[in-house]
Amino acid sequence: MAGIRVQWSGVGDVKRLLREAADAGNSREFLQAFQAVGTDTLNRAKDLTPVDLGALQRSGQFAITRRARPLEGRITFGGTAASYAVFVHENMTARHTTGQAKYLETAVAQMASRYGQAMSEAYARALRRAGK
């Protein structure tokens, strides 16, 4: 019975490229894009937040909570408005002269199509910077 022989060439190059691609995923471009997307989403949520005295709207914050892969971020509203933030967000029957219920949920849904594009562009920039 004849055997089949397969010889791989360039395996070292493939491993090197994979390592460089992983490094690009941890690049400053990737982190900056993640920060920008989070900040844009926060700003959109603030635009949609109901305003009476403005405490709830001003309380919105975005923070990167994990810088290792996978990156994680958190958008929060509360602060001095914590006692009513959830109620304002969830009350679909309230009528607001400015803003709306589900302000954060709506902002995330509206901005979702931008996330993948922004991150893939940052990844491409990082790979180009690495000379690939």
Side-chain angles (χ1 to χ4, degrees):
M1 177 174 212
I4 297 175
R5 181 175 176 206
V6 176
Q7 183 175 359
W8 293 91
S9 61
V11 172
D13 290 337
V14 170
K15 286 181 182 179
R16 180 183 52 77
L17 289 172
L18 288 172
R19 272 194 307 278
E20 290 169 358
D23 290 343
N26 287 331
S27 71
R28 88 180 124 84
E29 288 92 350
F30 207 69
L31 191 59
Q32 288 170 344
F34 189 74
Q35 179 73 45
V37 166
T39 300
D40 289 348
T41 304
L42 170 64
N43 290 336
R44 180 64 184 139
K46 284 182 172 186
D47 289 345
L48 298 172
T49 302
V51 176
D52 181 16
L53 300 174
L56 180 58
Q57 186 181 51
R58 286 190 304 274
S59 74
Q61 296 181 352
F62 169 72
I64 296 175
T65 56
R66 178 185 165 108
R67 292 182 179 269
R69 280 182 294 189
L71 290 172
E72 292 178 8
R74 180 172 295 163
I75 296 173
T76 58
F77 284 83
T80 59
S83 63
Y84 60 88
V86 173
F87 177 76
V88 172
H89 187 269
E90 297 300 320
N91 185 354
M92 298 292 288
T93 61
R95 299 289 172 233
H96 304 285
T97 56
T98 304
Q100 66 179 59
K102 302 290 187 178
Y103 49 92
L104 180 53
E105 190 175 321
T106 301
V108 169
Q110 289 175 346
M111 302 295 286
S113 64
R114 299 180 189 181
Y115 301 152
Q117 180 178 354
M119 301 314 285
S120 65
E121 288 171 0
Y123 196 71
R125 282 191 306 274
L127 287 174
R128 281 193 302 274
R129 185 175 53 83
K132 308 302 162 242

